Amino acid sequence: MADKRTTRSGGFARLWNDPTVRARTFQILTALVVVYFFWTIFQNTVANMERRGISTGLGFLSQPSGFGIVMSLIPYNETMSYGRTFWVGLLNTLLVSGLGIVLATIVGFIVGIGRLSKNWLVSTLSAVFVDTFRNIPLLLQIFFWYFAVLRNLPGPRQSMEIGEMFFLNNRGLYLPAPLPEEGMGVVWGVLVLALIGAVLLYRWARKRQEATGQQFPAIRVGIAMVIGLPLVVFLAMGSPMDWDVPELRGFNFRGGIVMIPELGALLLALTVYTAAFIAEIVRSGIQAVSHGQTEASAALGLKRGTTLRLVIIPQAMRVIIPPLTSQYLNLTKNSSLAVAIGYPDLVSVFMGTTLNQTGQAVEIVAITMLVYLTISLTISFLMNIYNKAAALKER
Amino acid sequence: MNQETELIQPPAQVASKAVKGEAIIKVIDMHKWYEQFHVLRGLNLEVSKGERIVICGPSGSGKSTFIRCINRLEEHQRGQIIVDGIELTDDLRNIDTIRREVGMVFQHFNLFPHLTVLENCCLAPIWVRKTPRKEAEQIAMKYLERVKIPDQAKKYPGQLSGGQQQRVAIARSLCMNPKIMLFDEPTSALDPEMIKEVLDVMIELAESGMTMLCVTHEMGFAKTVADRVIFMDQGEIVEQGIPKEFFGNPREARTRQFLQQILNH
């Protein structure tokens, strides 16, 4: 019976039942469909643009933009080119992402370790933080911070202030801007020297530990050196730094540095939202290290802090890093929600205003996607290097 | 079980090194509760310097909990534990001092997987005893030679067999130069063919005069090296005695029942 069946299903059927042949056929079919799909889109767009008389190419980047941007890290005005708006947007995106990553990491680690605290209040507060901010959509949180909190602050005349230096109102956070005077170069020089000195001190302390067993608080002394020495020189030179303190003139403040409420809201929302996820990652990472490790360290007489630093955290990091990388990527990409409250990030000024004015959809979308891809791959690449260094060696 | 017993029989009985009258561990009417559950019910024990004690008993009898109280991995709620003249209380400094003097070997080795064998051995001497790294490494190599794996010093624990890992764990404890060694079922997680290499190291350690408290089911080991065998059940010390009497002529019915179960199968 079985023999008969095999012989009957010869030729095409036998070929079709070969797993390799079948897999190849499906792969080729899929590839053809995908290529056809993108080809159609491309043809369609090109045809549409020709009909509307829009030229393709990157020439539009050198045309004047004609619109202003509320916040820019580099000099910018509306007479400058679309190429310049691209850079303004990109730097704003990098600024909010960079600050967000740093702040979210700090808050996330504190809350994550807090959830493991034996103190009931600390662990409960941490749990409430995580469960609240992780479960509300990010866009909603951005709106909350922007419309409900920062835009509802008092006007410039009723600003909240600290020591007539810092002012917070519905137009933003005003900080004094440093104005270096003659002699500040010396202070910077001393700072660099102190940094080099601290590194040398750290190396010396390690060598001495290895040679004599004597331990030296190199990190603490180093930090004191880096902060203290330039400070002493700074004061000795008669404080060669002036502050441009913001001042109320008419209806608004002049001078100083302004952090616009759009940036504040976006940064707060991104930080808090991502920190909630990072907290859970940190907690699970620490809990993934078996209790036996803590017991073995205790039995050897290692102190709690030393155990955490030399035994627990290094092992927790290998569990923490991969999902932490995902969170960094999420934060960077989520920063494009800036468009909802008008923070001038890349998506807002380039893919929004610039695209609307020029109609160069294909080029602009492609450039923007490429930029995000580059940022994300760079973050992944850096984190992977770190991950490799922290990975466990087995076999 | 009998086969293994014979494997480690050859050195008939390791000569006792116990110094009578010099108690290095004193446990006086010690009680412990887990919430409502009364785990240890009034234990009394005096261990002389250099004495080797084997603690056995059915699972759940509290024997592991008992030796874990001796270096305060577990807290006791009533009674006294005095180790090397220092009483274990909430005083962190006392706990630190005692943990420096008491080494412990765990059932699951608990080596630090992110450090090499050598780094595992050097970590505590460097950070607790403030030994210079070079010196700590020399000491570590000495003990790694004693447990017969100096050639694995640069490897990571994950690259070693269970028996090798347990020997590293023993060397790691010895690097702190402890006065007392606690063993918490050191061979229970090992494949049968690796048990012998670990027991050999422990026998050698017993010969050197180390004070040892060992929770184990290796009755052959107990017969060879123990000065005293203690049988625990339901949180109490039911019976104790020199191995000859303990195995040859157990007094309590519970002991007889336990010995029958583990020796005859």
Side-chain angles (χ1 to χ4, degrees):
Chain A
M1 186 71 185
D3 271 4
K4 261 188 190 164
R5 273 204 181 170
T6 344
T7 31
R8 220 189 293 159
S9 59
F12 175 75
R14 188 186 308 156
L15 205 62
W16 181 238
N17 285 325
D18 181 331
T20 326
V21 173
R22 203 189 279 197
R24 288 272 158 77
T25 314
F26 280 125
Q27 281 167 23
I28 290 166
L29 278 175
T30 314
L32 284 176
V33 170
V34 170
V35 168
Y36 175 74
F37 176 71
F38 281 106
W39 176 248
T40 318
I41 291 182
F42 178 72
Q43 284 294 312
N44 190 35
T45 316
V46 169
N48 280 339
M49 286 169 78
E50 264 169 16
R51 209 176 310 140
R52 286 161 55 189
I54 300 168
S55 61
T56 49
L58 296 174
F60 71 97
L61 284 174
S62 48
Q63 292 166 13
S65 67
F67 67 94
I69 298 176
V70 291
M71 188 193 133
S72 168
L73 295 175
I74 47 176
Y76 175 82
N77 61 51
E78 59 267 27
T79 62
M80 289 180 179
S81 66
Y82 286 122
R84 191 75 170 182
T85 64
F86 167 80
W87 286 110
V88 170
L90 176 59
L91 286 175
N92 284 344
T93 289
L94 289 177
L95 174 76
V96 75
S97 308
L99 285 174
I101 284 175
V102 172
L103 292 176
T105 308
I106 296 170
V107 176
F109 267 75
I110 292 172
V111 174
I113 293 172
R115 269 201 92 169
L116 296 171
S117 168
K118 282 187 182 132
N119 183 318
W120 180 85
L121 191 65
V122 172
S123 64
T124 312
L125 281 178
S126 306
V128 168
F129 177 91
V130 168
D131 283 336
T132 310
F133 292 111
R134 199 170 56 149
N135 293 317
I136 296 173
L138 176 57
L139 189 57
L140 220 61
Q141 293 192 37
I142 294 175
F143 284 152
F144 168 75
W145 291 112
Y146 187 61
F147 292 114
V149 181
L150 296 182
R151 295 300 282 195
N152 273 342
L153 289 171
R157 280 163 180 277
Q158 290 84 36
S159 288
M160 298 188 249
E161 56 180 284
I162 305 169
E164 302 199 354
M165 300 271 275
F166 304 91
F167 300 90
L168 184 65
N169 58 49
N170 62 6
R171 304 254 178 112
L173 176 65
Y174 291 78
L175 315 161
L179 291 176
E181 289 175 354
E182 213 175 321
M184 200 53 203
V186 182
V187 178
W188 292 125
V190 171
L191 179 66
V192 172
L193 285 180
L195 275 171
I196 297 170
V199 172
L200 292 176
L201 179 78
Y202 182 74
R203 289 214 184 136
W204 167 80
R206 227 172 107 162
K207 277 218 180 96
R208 189 172 78 139
Q209 200 287 328
E210 288 180 9
T212 66
Q214 297 295 309
Q215 281 168 11
F216 187 81
I219 293 176
R220 257 176 283 168
V221 174
I223 290 173
M225 223 164 90
V226 170
I227 296 173
L229 279 181
L231 195 68
V232 168
V233 174
F234 178 79
L235 294 175
M237 308 248 330
S239 309
M241 167 88 84
D242 205 12
W243 293 96
D244 178 17
V245 179
E247 249 182 294
L248 189 63
R249 297 254 183 83
F251 291 108
N252 208 349
F253 281 88
R254 288 283 156 79
I257 301 172
V258 194
M259 185 171 160
I260 56 172
E262 289 80 15
L263 173 60
L266 185 64
L267 189 58
L268 268 169
L270 285 174
T271 300
V272 164
Y273 179 76
T274 315
F277 286 92
I278 293 178
E280 282 299 90
I281 292 168
V282 169
R283 179 175 73 101
S284 64
I286 290 177
Q287 282 180 334
V289 179
S290 95
H291 190 54
Q293 296 288 309
T294 318
E295 286 189 343
S297 311
L300 285 167
L302 288 166
K303 291 209 166 61
R304 182 85 193 118
T306 318
T307 304
L308 206 64
R309 192 159 54 86
L310 297 177
V311 178
I312 308 297
I313 298 283
Q315 292 185 61
M317 282 317 276
R318 77 199 148 93
V319 184
I320 291 174
I321 295 165
L324 188 66
T325 310
S326 300
Q327 290 306 323
Y328 288 175
L329 299 177
N330 277 347
L331 189 145
T332 309
K333 291 177 290 176
N334 285 341
S335 74
S336 61
L337 287 172
V339 72
I341 53 169
Y343 172 73
D345 81 321
L346 185 65
V347 171
S348 175
V349 299
F350 196 61
M351 230 174 99
T353 319
T354 304
L355 196 155
N356 279 339
Q357 292 190 6
T358 62
Q360 304 282 351
V362 175
E363 293 85 349
I364 288 180
V365 172
I367 291 175
T368 312
M369 278 165 42
L370 217 61
V371 165
Y372 276 99
L373 200 63
T374 310
I375 299 174
S376 295
L377 288 176
T378 310
I379 294 175
S380 296
F381 176 72
L382 294 176
M383 292 299 278
N384 281 341
I385 292 178
Y386 184 49
N387 194 27
K388 273 219 180 93
L392 275 195
K393 285 155 201 82
E394 280 181 45
R395 269 167 283 278
Chain B
M1 186 58 86
N2 275 333
Q3 234 178 353
E4 282 147 27
T5 309
E6 269 158 27
L7 272 177
I8 53 154
Q9 274 296 17
Q13 166 76 38
V14 178
S16 174
K17 296 263 170 55
V19 186
K20 285 285 170 228
E22 219 183 300
I24 194 163
I25 303 175
K26 260 191 208 168
V27 179
I28 304 159
D29 192 34
M30 191 260 279
H31 291 259
K32 178 174 176 57
W33 285 265
Y34 282 128
E35 309 283 325
Q36 298 300 309
F37 180 55
H38 200 170
V39 214
L40 300 177
R41 301 155 177 260
L43 299 183
N44 286 290
L45 182 70
E46 272 199 22
V47 181
S48 309
K49 208 166 170 227
E51 200 176 3
R52 279 104 43 165
I53 291 180
V54 164
I55 303 171
C56 59
S59 83
S61 59
K63 50 198 193 309
S64 281
T65 310
F66 177 35
I67 69 163
R68 287 159 60 86
C69 282
I70 291 171
N71 65 353
R72 196 110 172 152
L73 287 183
E74 305 277 354
E75 265 174 59
H76 61 282
Q77 275 87 37
R78 181 141 46 97
Q80 278 183 303
I81 301 176
I82 300 160
V83 180
D84 200 24
I86 301 168
E87 183 173 358
L88 275 172
T89 57
D90 283 331
D91 190 333
L92 290 173
R93 242 175 310 161
N94 283 358
I95 298 173
D96 281 345
T97 316
I98 285 168
R99 283 180 178 166
R100 248 174 275 166
E101 307 303 332
V102 181
M104 186 162 201
V105 174
F106 299 87
Q107 182 179 0
H108 296 290
F109 332 133
N110 295 353
L111 292 175
F112 306 129
H114 61 301
L115 301 176
T116 65
V117 164
L118 191 63
E119 287 165 341
N120 262 280
C121 293
C122 291
L123 191 71
I126 288 173
W127 289 95
V128 181
R129 290 232 190 268
K130 320 275 185 223
T131 318
R133 181 179 292 274
K134 286 236 174 66
E135 202 182 315
E137 282 176 0
Q138 283 165 6
I139 296 170
M141 286 313 292
K142 188 180 92 185
Y143 284 112
L144 287 174
E145 267 159 41
R146 216 168 130 183
V147 301
K148 301 178 186 70
I149 36 175
D151 45 327
Q152 313 282 5
K154 297 282 177 215
K155 287 199 182 163
Y156 286 87
Q159 299 168 309
L160 304 182
S161 74
Q164 289 172 323
Q165 290 192 44
Q166 193 60 297
R167 285 186 282 150
V168 172
I170 295 173
R172 178 176 70 173
S173 287
L174 292 177
C175 282
M176 284 296 283
N177 198 17
K179 292 180 177 158
I180 301 161
M181 284 287 284
L182 306 173
F183 291 86
D184 188 3
E185 307 208 25
T187 56
S188 302
L190 295 176
D191 289 338
E193 76 267 28
M194 291 171 185
I195 291 176
K196 184 180 180 297
E197 64 187 55
V198 171
L199 289 182
D200 283 346
V201 167
M202 288 167 65
I203 292 170
E204 205 248 7
L205 192 61
E207 282 166 347
S208 74
M210 175 69 74
T211 310
M212 291 166 69
L213 261 79
C214 185
V215 172
T216 183
H217 295 122
E218 296 298 325
M219 290 305 135
F221 173 76
K223 283 176 190 161
T224 316
V225 304
D227 294 312
R228 201 168 5 145
V229 183
I230 291 175
F231 173 67
M232 281 181 70
D233 191 17
Q234 295 180 353
E236 288 169 334
I237 294 179
V238 175
E239 180 167 354
Q240 51 179 307
I242 59 168
K244 214 176 188 180
E245 282 175 24
F246 182 85
F247 292 109
N249 188 20
R251 275 164 287 153
E252 302 287 332
R254 271 193 280 179
T255 318
R256 275 198 293 275
Q257 194 193 349
F258 174 74
L259 288 176
Q260 246 165 24
Q261 274 168 354
I262 67 162
L263 292 177
N264 305 330
H265 68 83

